[in-house]
Amino acid sequence: MMSLLVLIAGTVFLPFTVSARTVSLETRQAGSTITINLDQKYQTIDGFGCSEAFQRAVQISQLTEEQQQYTFDLLFSTTKGAGLSILRNGIGSSPDMSSDHMVSIQPKNPGGPSSPPHYVWDGSDNKQLWVSQEAIKRGVKTIYANAWSAPGYMKTNNNDANGGTLCGVGGASCSSGDWRQAYADYLVQYIKFYLEANVTITHLGFVNEPDLTTSYASMRFSGSQAADFIKVLGPTLEKANLSSVGINCCDTEGWSSQAGMLSQLSSVDSLISTITAHSYTSSPGSPMNTRRRVWQTEAADLNGQWQGGWYSNGGAGDGMTWANNIYTAVVNANVSGYLYWIGAQTGSTNSKLVRIDGDKVTPSKRLWAFGQWSRFVRPGAIRVGIQGTASGVRMAAFQNIDGSVAVQIINSGGVAASIQIKVSGGDGFNSSIAAAFVTDNSHDISDLTVSLNEETAAASVPGRAMVTVLLKQGSGVPA
């Protein structure tokens, strides 16, 4: 058993050194005792992320080189930014790039579902390929390619927008024929184009918000219709030696909608990698009834006027609101991945984490809320147990694949909370290195003084702040 003393506030005495790092010992304060149990394990974490779909990537490309790199560092760097680990790309279905449309790799009907395809690749994919390459440079390994719709000529309404359904799935017959195989081939070719550019797509989604009809790219699917297509898509990926690409389904508009669709997907459960849902009509608050990993793949304050603060009044755009949203999804609903809608774009709303205004790039505290999670809870981490509570404080703990333990602490109260932390279990986990980081109204993942004392951790967590305590065995300072 080991423990950690974290100093965030209060009088400090008697400096001493642990693992070549100077730390300080604080007089023990009474407080709530929390025990981290490494033997109590929950879901595996795949990561946290965002998208640059619908030509938001093009907006980044219009910045100067210096600001482009600054933007990518803010989003994906684990030392300079949020360290996001999942990038969600949009697979185009539109015949051109007018407005903010995502252009298709087969803009024109090849003549029917059985005709030889006429794919067109511009080496850009609405600048998303470039964003993917920059993300990979910064350590991102999970690329989720998600189609909002099939090309219009494959659908019942002959339009990639305004709903319509893929011709050939149950209840959707078309005079042009059954386009299920042609659409599966189309998606596989998209993956191959990325592979030619040395970018590996790890997850594939074939529909977005199938329960919603919009004036932009959209396609309706019921759960049973999605299953009809997955029965074609799965074997097509395998035949193309792409069985390692996970099939995601189905990115419904809300959590409850996706939960209600699960029974219709039971016949293809073995072909699905990840269940995906958004948070617009309902948010993740309890686990879905599935054996598959579950991601919350799109959430945002779409209409709130831009504000970059951490806490003002608990509003939808506050950074602390999003720190808590992620907590609820990860701890209460057992999600393995959590994505905001857009990483960086122009405009005056909170629909993004980073605002572009001319050549000025401004991060919001929403970004740092994501970073407080993503920098320290890395892909492959396992959520572990916590026993004990503290008034107004939410806590979660994770063990990363490198063995380090990240303890996430959110104090929603207006005053500091004194907490004592003990860590038990594991294969003799014995920390010799510790670091702590805080985000609040005046800090962005800022370094804090850390002390180890008699296997007990005592933390005075500032009011309305999020703190991560990172513990590691060995020498050096965890980062």
Side-chain angles (χ1 to χ4, degrees):
M1 179 182 292
M2 60 68 53
S3 296
L4 167 72
L5 178 60
V6 185
L7 304 182
I8 301 176
T11 305
V12 178
F13 304 98
L14 303 177
F16 68 102
T17 301
V18 176
S19 297
R21 184 179 188 185
T22 300
V23 295
S24 301
L25 176 62
E26 182 187 56
T27 302
R28 178 94 33 98
Q29 297 180 1
S32 302
T33 299
I34 307 299
T35 300
I36 311 301
N37 184 356
L38 299 182
D39 292 330
Q40 186 177 14
K41 300 181 180 181
Y42 298 97
Q43 80 271 30
T44 299
I45 301 300
D46 293 317
F48 306 87
C50 67
S51 180
E52 292 297 335
F54 287 92
Q55 297 192 42
R56 272 55 170 187
V58 174
Q59 294 177 4
I60 298 176
S61 74
Q62 293 167 346
L63 294 166
T64 61
E65 171 68 18
E66 180 181 5
Q67 292 298 85
Q68 290 173 9
Q69 294 305 308
Y70 175 53
T71 301
F72 291 133
D73 282 344
L74 284 174
L75 294 175
F76 304 115
S77 171
T78 57
T79 58
K80 301 176 183 178
L84 299 179
S85 51
I86 300 176
L87 177 63
R88 178 181 177 227
N89 287 340
I91 301 175
S93 56
S94 300
D96 55 48
M97 287 182 65
S98 62
S99 186
D100 62 356
H101 297 168
M102 297 183 290
V103 69
S104 168
I105 60 169
Q106 187 171 247
K108 296 182 179 179
N109 188 338
S114 300
S115 299
H118 297 149
Y119 298 123
V120 178
W121 179 242
D122 61 4
S124 171
D125 191 31
N126 310 281
K127 291 293 183 180
Q128 291 181 114
L129 177 61
W130 168 61
V131 172
S132 302
Q133 292 166 333
E134 292 291 336
I136 289 169
K137 288 179 185 177
R138 291 161 174 82
V140 174
K141 294 183 172 66
T142 302
I143 307 292
Y144 173 27
N146 190 191
W148 266 243
S149 173
Y153 51 80
M154 296 186 182
K155 296 168 58 185
T156 54
N157 66 339
N158 200 36
N159 189 338
D160 79 312
N162 300 311
T165 305
L166 180 67
C167 298
V169 298
S173 60
C174 301
S175 60
S176 59
D178 182 346
W179 285 86
R180 287 178 299 169
Q181 185 60 61
Y183 185 41
D185 292 340
Y186 177 95
L187 296 173
V188 163
Q189 184 59 49
Y190 179 91
I191 295 171
K192 289 180 176 179
F193 282 139
Y194 266 71
L195 281 173
E196 290 172 3
N198 296 314
V199 173
T200 299
I201 289 172
T202 57
H203 296 75
L204 175 66
F206 56 91
V207 69
N208 172 79
E209 296 182 351
D211 47 341
L212 180 68
T213 297
T214 64
S215 59
Y216 52 88
S218 57
M219 182 165 63
R220 302 296 296 239
F221 262 106
S222 65
S224 59
Q225 289 173 327
D228 281 348
F229 180 66
I230 290 171
K231 290 172 184 176
V232 176
L233 180 59
T236 303
L237 286 168
E238 185 173 3
K239 184 178 179 181
N241 295 317
L242 293 172
S243 57
S244 61
V245 177
I247 297 175
N248 288 7
C249 188
C250 297
D251 283 84
T252 54
E253 194 181 8
W255 190 260
S256 298
S257 299
Q258 187 61 52
M261 188 182 284
L262 291 178
S263 62
Q264 300 175 58
L265 297 171
S266 59
S267 64
V268 293
D269 181 73
S270 63
L271 296 175
I272 295 174
S273 165
T274 307
I275 298 297
T276 51
H278 299 174
S279 290
Y280 295 121
T281 56
S282 58
S283 300
S286 59
M288 289 198 195
N289 184 23
T290 177
R291 299 178 300 162
R292 303 299 160 196
R293 292 186 186 178
V294 181
W295 292 357
Q296 189 292 128
T297 47
E298 189 177 319
D301 176 22
L302 295 176
N303 299 313
Q305 284 298 298
W306 170 265
Q307 70 95 1
W310 175 254
Y311 180 86
S312 55
N313 59 2
D318 282 0
M320 190 166 182
T321 296
W322 288 93
N324 277 298
N325 288 345
I326 296 171
Y327 176 96
T328 300
V330 170
V331 176
N332 295 359
N334 289 342
V335 306
S336 292
Y338 195 100
L339 284 70
Y340 203 76
W341 167 214
I342 292 294
Q345 72 169 98
T346 61
S348 59
T349 71
N350 291 325
S351 59
K352 60 273 187 183
L353 300 173
V354 177
R355 184 183 186 185
I356 298 172
D357 184 8
D359 199 46
K360 182 180 180 182
V361 174
T362 306
S364 69
K365 291 284 188 175
R366 293 182 299 280
L367 175 79
W368 299 119
F370 269 77
Q372 196 78 43
W373 286 94
S374 191
R375 283 259 294 258
F376 309 112
V377 182
R378 300 301 297 163
I382 296 174
R383 183 165 72 89
V384 295
I386 287 187
Q387 286 78 45
T389 60
S391 178
V393 177
R394 309 175 90 184
M395 283 172 285
F398 306 81
Q399 187 160 33
N400 288 299
I401 58 175
D402 66 359
S404 63
V405 174
V407 183
Q408 304 285 41
I409 308 168
I410 304 173
N411 183 2
S412 297
V415 297
S418 179
I419 302 169
Q420 296 186 17
I421 304 172
K422 295 182 178 181
V423 178
S424 66
D427 298 325
F429 185 90
N430 213 346
S431 177
S432 57
I433 315 160
F437 307 86
V438 62
T439 296
D440 58 15
N441 277 327
S442 55
H443 299 91
D444 300 329
I445 315 183
S446 298
D447 196 11
L448 295 174
T449 304
V450 176
S451 290
L452 300 174
N453 181 47
E454 298 178 1
E455 299 188 351
T456 300
S460 180
V461 181
R464 298 196 175 102
M466 181 171 180
V467 168
T468 300
V469 174
L470 189 64
L471 314 175
K472 193 173 184 179
Q473 301 182 101
S475 59
V477 177

